[in-house]
Amino acid sequence: MSDNGYRSGFTALLGRPNVGKSSIINALLKEKVAAVSPKPQTTRNAVRCIYTSEREQIIFVDTPGIHTPKHALGEFMMKEAEESLSQVDAVCYVVEARDREVSEKDRLILDVLAQSPLPVILAVNKTDKLESAEDYKKAASVYEEYIKAAAVVPLSANNGVGLAELAAAISAQLPAQTAIYPEDMLMDSTERFLASEVIREKILRNTDEEVPHSVAVLIDEFKSPDEFPDKKICDIRATIIVDRPGQKGIIIGKKGEKLKRIGSEARKELEEKFGYKVFLQLWVKVKPGWRKSQEELRRLGYGV
């Protein structure tokens, strides 16, 4: 890989829930590395996903959403988001092509960006939902009243349109330097963390509205063939933690069917990611008020 004119650096990914931030990451990297769910606050930690090409390496910091915190978990997520902004070279702010006004959630983000010296690339996603391709400009103009964008890029993560243009626009704002990470690395996270994220995503996809904010996944045991050469499969034991007994019932489902489906979907995806067979055991525990407990949050990896 030539370092002649090469650019690499960190980019914060911001946007209200459901605008397609994780879908953009997954489409760019051509692999599923970010938890994708229609539920808000899917991303809890600032996850680093790495896009590498012959011209650039963009390390996306997929931050938790900027929002008004209501509990200790919310405070941790806001702290992660703010810290991410202090450690990046640029911001990729994702909005929807059909936006015609600024939502309350976007206003919070725009307030933060207005005070930041970082260059902002405005990514107008979901152009596939427009009748006329040029209509993305209407959405862009709504946001450009609040921020001065270094570039505006229309794209559709679902259709793979505009991704190269987005990478080029972000790259132009990064320092001229060699790659920071090895070129075959997609994510700066442990397999253990990845396992908890995959399980959590399957819970979000399979449960009702009242569960998502109140669920965490603790990996109790992770023994892979990489660490234990005599093993042929990866043993994972995980505890799903919820706030209320009713939520436990929802996750387990009738005769345990829902928990079985969550486990089966998670196991299949983990086998694809890790490249070896996975034996996955899941338990569900009720811990009332865990999101408000600093001690419990630390134990679950949300250090505050």
Side-chain angles (χ1 to χ4, degrees):
M1 187 187 291
S2 168
D3 63 354
N4 184 24
Y6 200 83
R7 290 179 178 272
S8 67
F10 295 83
T11 301
L13 200 59
L14 293 181
R16 68 181 186 274
N18 303 337
V19 290
K21 300 185 295 293
S22 294
S23 299
I24 288 171
I25 292 273
N26 294 333
L28 263 174
L29 273 59
K30 297 183 176 64
E31 183 158 335
K32 192 164 165 211
V33 292
V36 178
S37 161
K39 311 288 171 67
Q41 314 290 259
T42 304
T43 306
R44 280 201 184 148
N45 298 70
V47 180
R48 289 201 175 104
C49 303
I50 305 150
Y51 168 79
T52 305
S53 77
E54 291 178 1
R55 295 176 299 279
E56 68 257 325
Q57 184 176 82
I58 304 169
I59 301 111
F60 286 98
V61 184
D62 188 10
T63 60
I66 289 173
H67 64 289
T68 307
K70 295 189 175 78
H71 39 61
L73 176 59
E75 285 166 18
F76 163 76
M77 289 160 73
M78 269 301 285
K79 193 175 170 189
E80 283 268 299
E82 287 165 2
E83 206 167 286
S84 297
L85 285 180
S86 70
Q87 297 170 354
V88 298
D89 304 292
V91 172
C92 178
Y93 176 34
V94 185
V95 300
E96 280 196 34
R98 292 190 295 185
D99 288 349
R100 296 295 178 263
E101 60 183 10
V102 173
S103 70
E104 191 181 325
K105 288 186 172 77
D106 278 302
R107 208 172 289 280
L108 282 170
I109 297 168
L110 290 164
D111 286 346
V112 171
L113 293 180
Q115 297 167 46
S116 169
L118 294 167
V120 178
I121 290 86
L122 185 63
V124 186
N125 191 25
K126 304 188 184 180
T127 54
D128 52 299
K129 296 191 174 176
L130 294 174
E131 284 185 26
S132 165
E134 289 299 297
D135 278 356
Y136 82 88
K137 290 176 182 173
K138 294 177 184 174
S141 65
V142 168
Y143 294 97
E144 287 188 294
E145 285 184 25
Y146 295 84
I147 53 165
K148 185 170 170 38
V152 178
V153 183
L155 75 151
S156 164
N158 280 348
N159 293 352
V161 174
L163 295 169
E165 290 79 0
L166 179 64
I170 294 169
S171 176
Q173 304 301 325
L174 302 180
Q177 59 183 355
T178 54
I180 296 164
Y181 287 92
E183 61 182 284
D184 59 348
M185 195 167 173
L186 290 178
M187 201 172 187
D188 180 18
S189 298
T190 62
E191 286 186 332
R192 183 182 278 259
F193 171 75
L194 198 54
S196 70
E197 282 292 280
V198 167
I199 296 164
R200 198 162 63 84
E201 189 217 349
K202 300 312 173 193
I203 296 164
L204 300 189
R205 282 194 169 277
N206 281 283
T207 57
D208 296 321
E209 284 299 323
E210 63 265 36
V211 173
H213 289 297
S214 314
V215 67
V217 176
L218 179 66
I219 304 296
D220 303 303
E221 183 180 69
F222 189 102
K223 290 183 177 175
S224 74
D226 292 338
E227 297 169 280
F228 301 87
D230 57 318
K231 292 183 73 66
K232 294 282 190 291
I233 62 171
C234 180
D235 278 324
I236 304 173
R237 283 194 308 111
T239 303
I240 298 164
I241 293 168
V242 294
D243 249 349
R244 303 192 298 275
Q247 294 165 342
K248 178 177 180 178
I250 289 167
I251 288 174
I252 292 172
K254 195 174 179 183
K255 296 183 179 176
E257 286 301 315
K258 192 163 281 186
L259 185 62
K260 199 179 290 181
R261 185 162 67 244
I262 289 165
S264 174
E265 289 178 11
R267 179 182 53 75
K268 282 176 190 165
E269 185 166 326
L270 290 171
E271 286 179 345
E272 284 174 24
K273 285 187 181 302
F274 297 157
Y276 34 67
K277 290 283 182 191
V278 169
F279 177 67
L280 176 62
Q281 292 177 286
L282 297 176
W283 283 266
V284 187
K285 277 188 186 172
V286 180
K287 287 191 180 262
W290 71 265
R291 292 177 296 164
K292 294 176 181 169
S293 162
Q294 303 282 5
E295 185 185 338
E296 199 59 46
L297 286 168
R298 270 192 291 273
R299 197 171 76 86
L300 291 164
Y302 305 121
V304 286

